[in-house]
């Protein structure tokens, strides 16, 4: 299984970016896909996840209303549209797959630790830097 992220860049505060993640060796059917991020000196945190079968989503409070997750199951791809970017959004962004997702995607939002530990496969990340 390989997950490859792309789209990270240097952008000014208030700007937008679209991250992409393409998977090989796996199909998304029945799985959940997620975006996570890790800033220097901080723990990795869940940003958003989506259920491949029904499109239900969950977002971290810090990105609600600014980020949108989506999938293209035919392309084995998951995307993260980011707008109104802030310097605190700067981080390495990772995509991940949970092959045994919970019944309710909102479960992920109950615990960052559980959200992170639920993922089975990870990409290597793409760097997003937001300048002030």
């Amino acid at each position: 299984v390989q997950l490859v992220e792309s789209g990270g860049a240097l952008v000014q505060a208030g700007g937008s970016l679209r991250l992409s993640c393409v998977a090989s060796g796996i199909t998304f059917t029945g799985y959940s896909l997620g975006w996570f991020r890790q800033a220097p000196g901080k723990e990795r945190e869940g940003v958003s996840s989506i259920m491949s079968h029904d499109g239900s989503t969950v977002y971290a409070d810090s990105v609600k209303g600014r980020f949108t997750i989506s999938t293209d199951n035919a392309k084995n791809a998951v995307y993260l549209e980011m707008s109104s970017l802030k310097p605190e959004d700067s981080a390495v962004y990772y995509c991940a797959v949970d092959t045994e997702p919970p019944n309710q995607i909102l479960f992920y939002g109950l615990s960052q630790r559980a959200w992170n530990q639920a993922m089975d496969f990870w990409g290597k990340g793409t760097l997003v830097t937001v300048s002030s």
Side-chain angles (χ1 to χ4, degrees), residues 24-121:
S24 58
I26 193 172
T27 57
F28 288 168
T29 306
Y31 299 163
S32 73
L33 305 313
W35 284 97
F36 295 75
R37 68 186 181 186
Q38 187 167 22
K42 295 187 177 181
E43 293 187 351
R44 187 171 58 199
E45 62 173 352
V47 174
S48 182
S49 278
I50 184 169
M51 290 290 199
S52 62
H53 63 279
D54 66 7
S56 57
T57 59
V58 64
Y59 295 91
D61 288 343
S62 59
V63 306
K64 282 180 181 177
R66 301 188 298 121
F67 290 11
T68 302
I69 190 171
S70 62
T71 61
D72 185 334
N73 290 342
K75 295 182 178 180
N76 262 11
V78 57
Y79 308 100
L80 187 68
E81 297 274 0
M82 306 186 295
S83 62
S84 302
L85 283 163
K86 306 174 181 179
E88 51 264 42
D89 294 318
S90 297
V92 177
Y93 282 72
Y94 301 89
C95 69
V97 177
D98 181 359
T99 61
E100 296 184 61
N103 291 330
Q104 297 290 331
I105 200 166
L106 294 178
F107 166 83
Y108 291 136
L110 299 178
S111 165
Q112 277 290 345
R113 181 178 180 181
W115 197 352
N116 275 265
Q117 291 184 340
M119 300 300 122
D120 299 300
F121 300 104

